[in-house]
Amino acid sequence: MIRLLLVSLCCVAIVSCGRGREEAAPAAAAHALVPLPETVEWPAGDGFLLTGATTISVPSGNERAAWIGRYLSELVGLAAGDAPPAVNAGSAASTGVIQLRLASPAVPGSEAYELTVSSERIVVAAGDPAGLFYGVQTLRQLMPGWIDHEAVRADENRPIRIPAARIVDRPRFASRGAMLDVARHFFSVDEVERYIDLAALYKFNRLHLHLSDDQGWRIEIKSWPNLAMKGGMTEVGGGPGGYYTQAQYAELAAYAADRFVTIVPEIDMPGHTNAALASYGELNCDGVARPPYTGVEVGFSAFCVEKDLTYKFIDDVVREIAAVTPGPCFHIGGDEVKTLTPPQYIAFIERVQKIVQAHGKQMIGWDEIAPAALLPTTLVQHWRPDGASTTAVEKGAKVIISVASRAYLDMKYDEATAIGQDWAARIAVRDAYDWDPATVAAGVPAAAIIGVEAPIWTETLATIADVEFMAFPRLAAIAEVAWTPQASRRWDDFARRLGAQAPRWAALGVNFYRAPEIPWSR
């Protein structure tokens, strides 16, 4: 208990320092929910008392639901009793139970859920395990933030009061993504898994991994071993770099899938390819390997698109990565190509698109690919405010919105931000929140949009602490942009609910930016 007291005092100190106004936590539990659910009701009553006697009930014969029950039990840990809540399959007790139920919620959708909290029980109902998982994330936010501290989970014993509530919820967009650039600076499996956990808390369901660029190649390709052994050993600034073996990548994909997050691998091409061109000289038109690159300029590299060997190489790379990627998509980049003619570029995209399709994957590319003759399944990721996505939309393509001036989390908050860039904009928290994906891109209507993604590029971000500082609180803002109905979103209300995340982030050890415009809770 002495150790716990010291930890608690440290948490208070962490939360109390930094920039921003300090206020007591909002009294209304609604203010702690991010993203805001579609409908929330707070009926009268004392709510549910979670104690050492509480059990978790899961449906019989469904391993995904059973995993969610175990996940919830581990989340609570010893915070409420002498042992984590027991997880039982089948019929639930009449009282004192958290019941995860596979049943149709009040609104349709595979990710929809209904959460009811009363004095007798808590029920999370969903037609699909994904909905159960998102309902559990909402339930987690109804609990005090301190339960997310490892010391509390391992050494505490006090009842947890959860307010009475009825929540019916579903996402606005089917695809809600975060992108992590591991090519400019490399991040370990554990660090990527931590980012997955933080994204899953806010109901993201995609993690786009930028696995290759001029500065580094980050995944083992067994048929082209130098990609990892040579191309993987550099990063911006001359650091040691690194790469994932295929077994490690498969571990990441499985870890993410448990949390209902799908990994989307990206191998950027035909530009942003110096790490590959340094690994194998034959991929260059002159046959000469390029020197390793540790700078940050773009647009100078490209595959030799006239060589058949280039497409043999791409086929091998796509085949090996597709074999260890359970998700449906493969991202081919396609951005910022300055050394090819437009006909060369379009012919390359159309040829690579067939390779991706041949290996059973759906192609995604940055919005420069829009002028090509795209397959009906190909997705365009709109990142430039004046990008050419309209061309693809007119031909029936679907779009992911990642407008750099709103969604790029590596942009500085303001002129005083010590890391990050500002070529697209300086993005304050309100800038990351106060926009509508359905109107931000001219000629891209809501019907053409399948989702929203928040990329974070790492030219200036060398550690996972740097990544967290730039991502939080803005990743939570993008989460609400992607999940909550546009008509329900209000900046002042969001700012209060965002401020209430501070104790949880402090408990999780998140290195977040205390934006001065947010009323942060102690």
Side-chain angles (χ1 to χ4, degrees):
M1 290 303 293
I2 292 174
R3 177 170 60 87
L4 178 61
L5 178 60
L6 290 173
V7 169
S8 299
L9 289 173
C10 289
C11 285
V12 170
I14 291 169
V15 175
S16 297
C17 67
R19 300 175 63 184
R21 302 191 306 276
E22 304 293 349
E23 296 182 359
H31 290 177
L33 298 180
V34 175
L36 182 68
E38 186 172 287
T39 65
V40 183
E41 299 173 7
W42 305 105
D46 294 333
F48 184 85
L49 194 63
L50 198 162
T51 71
T54 300
T55 60
I56 298 171
S57 170
V58 299
S60 298
N62 190 297
E63 177 52 33
R64 294 296 278 141
W67 184 91
I68 297 167
R70 295 192 295 271
Y71 170 91
L72 176 58
S73 178
E74 292 172 6
L75 179 69
V76 175
L78 304 184
D82 295 326
V87 180
N88 303 316
S91 59
S94 58
T95 60
V97 64
I98 302 173
Q99 184 177 9
L100 306 184
R101 180 189 299 167
L102 285 174
S104 297
V107 292
S110 62
E111 296 179 309
Y113 68 90
E114 185 173 347
L115 170 62
T116 305
V117 181
S118 68
S119 59
E120 290 81 22
R121 63 173 56 202
I122 295 173
V123 177
V124 183
D128 187 273
L132 290 181
F133 184 77
Y134 299 130
V136 164
Q137 295 305 323
T138 299
L139 175 61
R140 177 181 180 182
Q141 290 192 31
L142 292 178
M143 300 182 200
W146 47 258
I147 72 153
D148 275 302
H149 199 291
E150 289 184 1
V152 173
R153 293 181 190 172
D155 185 19
E156 184 55 85
N157 186 343
R158 55 178 167 176
I160 298 171
R161 177 72 66 180
I162 300 173
R166 184 176 183 274
I167 295 170
V168 179
D169 200 12
R170 59 183 167 180
R172 180 185 183 190
F173 293 107
S175 180
R176 305 172 304 282
M179 191 217 80
L180 180 60
D181 172 16
V182 298
R184 271 53 176 268
H185 282 98
F186 180 68
F187 298 94
S188 69
V189 170
D190 287 345
E191 289 169 331
V192 176
E193 288 178 348
R194 174 172 169 82
Y195 201 64
I196 290 169
D197 281 327
L198 292 173
L201 170 59
Y202 294 100
K203 302 183 176 70
F204 285 93
N205 63 358
R206 300 286 186 274
L207 179 67
H208 170 184
L209 282 179
H210 186 76
L211 290 166
S212 71
D213 214 294
D214 293 313
Q215 300 87 352
W217 185 284
R218 304 303 181 205
I219 186 168
E220 172 191 30
I221 303 297
K222 294 179 180 179
S223 57
W224 299 77
N226 281 357
L227 290 170
M229 299 304 296
K230 184 174 182 179
M233 295 299 101
T234 52
E235 64 183 20
V236 168
Y243 68 91
Y244 310 114
T245 66
Q246 290 188 15
Q248 288 174 321
Y249 174 83
E251 174 191 330
L252 274 175
Y255 186 91
D258 279 345
R259 290 148 183 82
F260 297 87
V261 174
T262 300
I263 296 291
V264 177
E266 180 187 355
I267 299 298
D268 209 346
M269 58 179 102
H272 289 274
T273 50
N274 195 80
L277 302 177
S279 302
Y280 289 96
E282 55 266 44
L283 298 175
N284 296 287
C285 290
D286 61 7
V288 178
R290 300 296 184 256
Y293 181 68
T294 60
V296 297
E297 296 302 316
V298 301
F300 62 89
S301 64
F303 287 138
C304 188
V305 298
E306 307 301 335
K307 282 187 174 183
D308 286 338
L309 178 66
T310 295
Y311 300 97
K312 169 64 167 63
F313 166 81
I314 293 169
D315 186 79
D316 288 339
V317 168
V318 174
R319 171 178 53 80
E320 290 196 32
I321 296 176
V324 290
T325 299
C329 295
F330 191 101
H331 204 303
I332 59 92
D335 60 317
E336 298 178 320
V337 180
K338 301 178 182 179
T339 60
L340 301 179
T341 66
Q344 284 179 314
Y345 174 82
I346 288 175
F348 175 87
I349 295 300
E350 292 173 357
R351 187 167 177 177
V352 170
Q353 180 179 232
K354 294 177 182 177
I355 294 173
V356 173
Q357 183 187 46
H359 291 291
K361 297 300 180 184
Q362 179 180 14
M363 193 180 87
I364 307 175
W366 299 104
D367 62 46
E368 286 93 332
I369 73 169
L374 302 177
L375 294 169
T377 56
T378 293
L379 301 175
V380 175
Q381 188 159 0
H382 184 95
W383 70 279
R384 298 175 299 171
D386 58 350
S389 301
T390 303
T391 305
V393 168
E394 290 171 348
K395 294 181 285 187
K398 299 297 184 182
V399 176
I400 300 167
I401 298 293
S402 298
V403 175
S405 58
R406 296 287 190 169
Y408 272 31
L409 303 183
D410 56 302
M411 294 296 110
K412 293 173 180 278
Y413 292 96
D414 56 30
E415 62 182 5
T417 309
I419 54 177
Q421 305 185 82
D422 59 7
W423 57 262
R426 293 176 184 146
I427 304 177
V429 180
R430 183 165 187 169
D431 298 323
Y433 179 80
D434 219 356
W435 61 286
D436 182 357
T439 61
V440 74
V444 181
I449 299 170
I450 69 156
V452 177
E453 181 177 291
I456 190 161
W457 304 96
T458 61
E459 288 94 336
T460 69
L461 313 183
T463 68
I464 196 66
D466 292 342
V467 170
E468 290 177 6
F469 182 80
M470 300 303 285
F472 289 92
R474 293 180 296 191
L475 189 65
I478 300 296
E480 186 150 311
V481 170
W483 181 278
T484 304
Q486 180 67 23
S488 299
R489 298 199 294 115
R490 299 289 184 274
W491 163 251
D492 290 344
D493 175 60
F494 173 73
R496 290 190 295 271
R497 288 182 284 108
L498 183 65
Q501 305 302 304
R504 190 173 310 277
W505 292 345
L508 289 166
V510 176
N511 181 38
F512 69 97
Y513 170 61
R514 300 184 65 81
E517 67 268 33
I518 303 301
W520 297 107
S521 300
R522 293 186 183 276

